[in-house]
Amino acid sequence: MSLPFYQRSHQHYDLSYRNKDLHTTMSHYQQEKKRSAVYTHGSTAYSSRSSAAHRQESEALRQASAASYQQQASKAYSLGTSSSQHYQGSEVSRKTASSYDYGYSHGQVHISGIRDSEEERIKEAAAYIAQRTLLESEEAIMASKQSTASKQSTASKQSIASKQSTASKQSTASKQSTASKQATSTFQQEETFERKSRNISIREKAEELSLRKTLEETQAYHGKLNEDHLLHAPEFIIKPRSHTVWEKENVKLHCSVAGWPEPRLTWYKNQVPINVHANPEKYIIESRYGMHTLEISKCDFEDTAQYRASAMNVQGEVSAYASVVVKRYKGELDDSLLRGGVSMPLSFAVTPYGYASKFEIHFDDKFDVSFGREGETMSLGCRVVITPEIKHVQPEVQWYRNGAPVSPSKWVQPHWSGDRATLTFSHLNKEDEGLYTIRVRMGEYYEQYSAYVFVRDADAEIEGAPAAPLDVVSLDANKDYIIISWKQPAVDGGSPILGYFIDKCEVGTDTWSQCNDTPVKFARFPVTGLIEGRSYIFRVRAVNKTGIGLPSRVSEPVAALDPAEKARLKSRPSAPWTGQIIVTEEEPTEGVIPGPPTDLSVTEATRSYVVLSWKPPGQRGHEGIMYFVEKCDVGTENWQRVNTELPVKSPRFALFDLVEGKSYRFRVRCSNSAGVGEPSESTEVTVVGDKLDIPKAPGKIIPSRNTDTSVVVSWEESKDAKELVGYYIESSVVGSGQWEPCNNNPVKGSRFTCHGLTTGQSYIFRVRAVNAAGLSEYSQDSEAIEVKAAIAVPSPPYDITCLESFRDSMVLGWKQPDKTGGAEITGYYVNYREVVGGVPGKWREANIKAVSDAAYKISELKENTVYQFQVSAMNIAGLGAPSAVSECFKCEEWTIAVPGPPHSLKLSEVRKNSLVLQWKPPVYSGRTPVTGYFVDLKEASAKDDQWRGLNEAAIPNKYLRVQGLKEGISYVFRVRAINQAGVGKPSDLAGPVVAETRPGTKEVVVNVDDDGVISLNFECDQMTPKSEFVWSKDYVPSEDSPRLEVESKGNKTKMVFKDLGPDDLGTYSCDVTDTDGIASSYLIDEEEMKRLLALSQEHKFPTVPTKSELAVEILEKGQVRFWMQAEKLSGNAKVNYIFNEKEIFEGPKYKMHIDRNTGIIEMFMEKLQDEDEGTYTFQIQDGKATGHSTLVLIGDVYKKLQKEAEFQRQEWIRKQGPHFAEYLSWEVTGECNVLLKCKVANIKKETHIVWYKDEREISVDEKHDFKDGICTLLITEFSKKDAGFYEVILKDDRGKDKSRLKLVDEAFQDLMTEVCRKIALSATDLKIQSTAEGIRLYSFVCYYLDDLKVNWSHNGTGIKYTDRVKSGVTGEQIWLQINEPTQNDKGKYVMELFDGKTGHQKSVDLSGQAFDEAFAEFQRLKQAAIAEKNRARVLGGLPDVVTIQEGKALNLTCNVWGDPTPEVSWLKNEKPLTSDDHCSLKFEAGKTAFFTISGVSTADSGKYGLVVKNKYGSETSDFTVSVFIPEEEARKGASEPPKGNQKSK
């Protein structure tokens, strides 16, 4: 029987192959005895016994096995052989087996009885043969015992000798020679053989049979194991690369390692392991997805070292080296590194030409874009030329497919012959399609070359059947199932693919079995029914209505093993006949029921299956556990066990036969020999069905010319696509109707180059997306494009400048060509020459391979030598003309800390007063990174001292819009970079450029079409056939932006916003290539975005704009008018009038009118009735635009409107006679009086007006003249007594009207508040008045009401009134009296008048001079009051005139007061009068004065006066005494005596 083709490179030791491989097995095994102990990946590194002991015991075992093999070679694989040359007992057999267990097994690495390589298989087979031979010897011994009793003694000696010899070989390595001598001497001794009992013999025989059965099972098990997915040593896919860095810069070393088990990678510095924890800020070590990174932060001189990445697993260890050199700022290399003898690997580029010499790598005879078909062979190759050539040093050659390294396999093999690299495909498959890159590395330098390989489908066996799927891989594998995924083919055979069949084949057989009865449409499927530990390969076939297509390429072999179980067993050795040996120091715990699993979740759910995953329980004892899965319909608690007959062994499970669209919950239980544990927590509700949607079709397919046989197709990626696999592109010759796939392996991204097209033919293209759920619909067909190359060589670069200079090298920069030739510039070539004494030398090539950037470092120059340079640009069409010769530059070291000059300055969008300047950052950034830029300008003819800056603060952008230029003036510009050290050298000049708007200059115009699509449009009339439009956002090309779509046709271009939003804010510019700098830009800020979005919405859904919505109003006679107004209406505008969803028309009830000039739409109703309650709508149709307005009149709203209409009708009737135009109201005058007023209309002379209060007529003095139609009633000094109901009646022969005004309760209070406010506003400023008692502060108001609250405050604090400080109102005066003022009474006094709502304040400052003057006046008045009180005065008693008859006695008495007691004197006719006998004058007790005249005579007549006087003043009281004679009385008549008076002084 022959092995399958995919296993022919491996040897499987089944029974059919044992004889022919036996000798090879033994020789290989004998060589393995010298192998040292191998590192084991796990917690147990070595066994308890030393490696030396293992080697000794292995040697003993080998000798015994060899002797046995030589005597029984003809029966090597027969366990039933009875002949034997050695007599050996069961005890010896067990000891020998034990020796193997703890010798050979511990010395090698075994994981669950699985071997990964032929080498491991050889060792295992050799050990198996040795053990089997020992068993046969034991069996022969037992047969000999039973058959020949007479030979017992001899057999006993032989057995003892053999037993002792074998035992001596089982001893430790340190006692091996002694044991050997002891065995020889023991063999010569005669000892008695001890016969075993019958029970012991039976037990040993049973053990032998059990061991034989285990060996047979293990042998079959190993014969079917997968060789490709088992153990293999580590291998560096990507090695770390050496670096030269500046001080304080960061550096990263990267590498990628493959191997199984997954290698553990350790980083070393000068052979010392790097401890991240000891230097957490210095080193960062990361491992992600197989990529390992060492980052060294802020490098210094101590970091200059050799670094080693060491990858290790159970199969061995491999290392890769890289060196890091930290460079001083002067550019000098630390020579101590070389003198110190630091070992540098080849990758550090140490060559005979010096340290870090430059290698030139060139490719000749390169492979081009290739086309193949499935099943064919293909070879890619090229010749590699490396200069300088170094003998015995070979480059590193690595092939890549789509950026991933290509590893050798049975499908593809790389080869390097010394000067030619080839990659050979023995059997092409669609999986091999892609972009292939060869990268050749020599030291620090590498070059690469790429080309695409297309693989077409093989011819279908059934016409119309679909093509084969591709990329069949295992996503997940465990003991119970393996999930297989694949990619759908590009060709469906002409009818949709109905689904896929999955086939499996056990490794070691050639029998394929179908895994699913019904085709599955989802490109993932869990395969169950596998045998634990066995390996399988898989393939997939697509089916449509025509039939089943060809199968895919088979997958890599996958073992049905649980990864978690494998991880636990990695570090434990195993024997080939027992599977696994577990060494424990305690007996396994029995009787422990496992706990519930944790973290149960649904990891995948489709319409065909659901996958569960969970974590094993923490409590499970030492024995293995299995799982039972249960399901439950949502809404019930009826749990059903899914796997009743076959428990699950791994913590994952796939469930089938679920009802699509139905909801379930799941849980899991653990079980072992002790019982079934508690269930886990149930999952969330899961609905059976595909969770992944088929992607939407891509959009905006745009083809563009590339070469004469290829077209670049770009598209808009599918929106909201999940788990996108890629895209298929198809092409069709215009008019043919036949579509052909451009790729058979899905490509990612939104751009693809379609090769193999016919030159001059026109094609259209379409694209569709694919994910695991299926293929999307086709996109719309692209526009037709003719296949041809439309490119030319570029124009010369210009403005060559030196960006950085070293002792032996210089970095040049230059400006890109003005014209690119219609194709992307692919690189530049630099030439240089020496200038000695002003004489230029010969031109030399600086680079063999084109450089992609507009800057290049030229090495191997001479220090302090002057050079000139020129540059040529190249595109796909060829090499352009060289530039003008540069100025002379001297090669010398730059040591400045500031940055170098920016370069590649570009002027665009030149207008009469503005332009845009762009640049690139400096190559030399100085000691710290560049933080910004300064832009300077000057007039082209101005001197260098007239440069002026355009920005005060550094700008971070690498562009600037320059404003404020003068039209017609020529300008030049320069840019300077700044870092923390300062501002660097200026760049080369940009310009001169004249600020002018050239004739025909067009600007970018924003447009919103009728569908609401927002776009920026630009048109150029000066394009050449090779010109192209290039759109940028913030001057960064935006052609790949998923938010934008660019359409260009002829001399017009349009950039469409797919969904304008905040992310799209910025400046959008359009440059036209191959022209004289034609460009324009448009700024979209937040305000402009809002405007455009509003306009877009308006265009999408046009409406008739309205000035006012539908409204209703009541007209004069109670008519109802419904109306609205549109912005404008055309002559074709129509209006439908809707009431309660029914159209109404003009008639007796409704009058309708449309004024198309003003846009007013009206409907009139004479009266509102109850049935008119409802919803009114005006519907407008004006061409495409529509509009409507609705008014809802129901419930209280309608009742109020109806009541208002009826009121207006009654009002109209009322207004036919005299009536009130304005009803009775009140106002408060400036004099704080209340004026009741009303306005009347339609009156005549006979019209009368009568006022009432509380139904009593008010008498009015004046007759109303109805001047201006106003009637008033004035109420002065309004107070509470004036509250009441006021009414005024207007009447004549035509009728009457009345108006009432309620002035009670709240209405009265409102009026009083206004009155009080007016009174408060009438208050005068506070004045200060001194009195004899103290100081008075006062203010006058019109009049005072008790409703006006008065509050006084002193220095912000309310005043508490006492006998000394009082407040009051006297008439219209409001005052505050401060008696006996003191210094504490100084300050600011505020009087607040509160009208009920608002406080009104008046203030006065009683301090300083004001207080002093007031206080002095108070003192004066006080003293005056005291004087007035205590001065001498006549209190009374003296008459003014005394008439007395002659001869009578006159007695007068008066009271006198004064303090002190006054002095009293008398006057007669203003002359002093003294007391005598005739006139007696007395003053008694200081209070009473007596005036007595005894016997008056005419001589006593006259004017008398009493004068009282003290220190405070005096007073005179006058009286007149008239003496008459009776006889003369009659004669004098009625003469009147004179009146007396009092005078004071």
Side-chain angles (χ1 to χ4, degrees), residues 1210-1229:
Q1210 296 299 327
E1211 280 290 287
W1212 182 82
I1213 296 173
R1214 179 180 66 85
K1215 292 178 181 179
Q1216 301 310 305
H1219 63 276
F1220 291 97
E1222 293 180 4
Y1223 286 104
L1224 193 59
S1225 63
W1226 56 261
E1227 73 174 44
V1228 180
T1229 65

Side-chain angles (χ1 to χ4, degrees), residues 885-937:
V885 178
S886 72
E887 61 179 289
C888 295
F889 300 110
K890 187 176 182 181
C891 182
E892 59 184 354
E893 183 76 25
W894 286 2
T895 59
I896 56 177
V898 296
H903 63 98
S904 301
L905 274 67
K906 175 184 175 184
L907 294 169
S908 62
E909 302 179 37
V910 180
R911 302 295 184 265
K912 64 181 181 180
N913 54 11
S914 67
L915 56 80
V916 174
L917 176 63
Q918 304 174 52
W919 61 89
K920 289 186 178 181
V923 175
Y924 176 72
S925 62
R927 295 187 180 181
T928 58
V930 174
T931 59
Y933 301 91
F934 291 98
V935 180
D936 305 328
L937 93 163

Side-chain angles (χ1 to χ4, degrees), residues 1427-1435 1455-1458 1462 1508 1514-1515:
E1428 179 66 22
K1429 179 181 178 181
N1430 296 328
R1431 71 177 173 82
R1433 69 184 66 181
V1434 178
L1435 296 180
N1455 295 324
V1456 176
W1457 190 89
V1508 293
S1514 63
E1515 184 178 79

Side-chain angles (χ1 to χ4, degrees), residues 344-361:
M344 299 294 179
L346 173 61
S347 60
F348 196 40
V350 180
T351 74
Y353 290 81
Y355 184 80
S357 293
K358 177 181 178 181
F359 290 94
E360 294 293 343
I361 303 173

Side-chain angles (χ1 to χ4, degrees), residues 501-538:
F501 287 112
I502 298 89
D503 303 331
K504 67 178 179 181
C505 176
E506 186 178 342
V507 172
T509 69
D510 56 358
T511 302
W512 288 91
S513 60
Q514 188 170 295
C515 302
N516 55 318
D517 298 326
T518 304
V520 293
K521 301 198 70 173
F522 203 79
R524 283 200 294 268
F525 185 78
V527 179
T528 58
L530 308 175
I531 300 175
E532 180 183 350
R534 297 192 179 182
S535 297
Y536 298 85
I537 54 176
F538 300 90

Side-chain angles (χ1 to χ4, degrees), residues 175-343:
K175 300 178 180 181
Q176 183 177 7
S177 60
T178 304
S180 177
K181 295 178 181 180
Q182 183 180 355
T184 304
S185 60
T186 305
F187 180 76
Q188 296 173 355
Q189 295 176 359
E190 293 184 0
E191 296 182 0
T192 305
F193 179 78
E194 191 174 81
R195 184 183 296 272
K196 294 180 174 59
S197 65
R198 186 172 182 272
N199 291 337
I200 293 176
S201 299
I202 294 174
R203 179 170 58 81
E204 292 177 347
K205 188 63 175 178
E207 290 175 353
E208 293 170 6
L209 295 175
S210 176
L211 181 60
R212 184 186 307 165
K213 181 178 179 182
T214 302
L215 284 170
E216 292 174 351
E217 291 177 353
T218 304
Q219 172 190 347
Y221 175 80
H222 281 291
K224 298 182 179 183
L225 279 181
N226 164 37
E227 292 292 329
D228 292 342
H229 268 206
L230 299 182
L231 307 181
H232 60 274
E235 175 187 6
F236 276 96
I237 304 301
I238 300 176
K239 295 183 179 180
R241 178 185 174 188
S242 298
H243 291 267
T244 300
V245 297
W246 291 103
E247 285 180 302
K248 298 183 180 179
E249 286 188 348
N250 296 349
V251 66
K252 284 187 177 181
L253 303 179
H254 303 272
C255 66
S256 180
V257 186
W260 184 259
E262 182 179 354
R264 183 177 65 184
L265 191 128
T266 306
W267 292 92
Y268 295 81
K269 175 183 177 183
N270 291 335
Q271 308 304 323
V272 177
I274 294 176
N275 188 348
V276 178
H277 302 289
N279 301 278
E281 298 180 355
K282 187 65 177 177
Y283 302 103
I284 299 176
I285 296 178
E286 294 181 346
S287 296
R288 293 184 178 179
Y289 309 108
M291 179 62 71
H292 305 274
T293 304
L294 168 64
E295 180 175 1
I296 308 172
S297 303
K298 297 180 179 179
C299 293
D300 53 31
F301 294 117
E302 294 182 357
D303 294 316
T304 300
Q306 183 189 65
Y307 291 85
R308 176 167 67 96
S310 174
M312 182 184 299
N313 67 4
V314 296
Q315 289 296 100
E317 180 181 7
V318 64
S319 297
Y321 296 85
S323 295
V324 173
V325 174
V326 181
K327 190 176 180 182
R328 293 189 178 96
Y329 284 110
K330 293 183 179 180
E332 296 179 356
L333 182 67
D334 193 350
D335 296 334
S336 63
L337 294 176
L338 300 178
R339 292 194 300 267
V342 177
S343 175

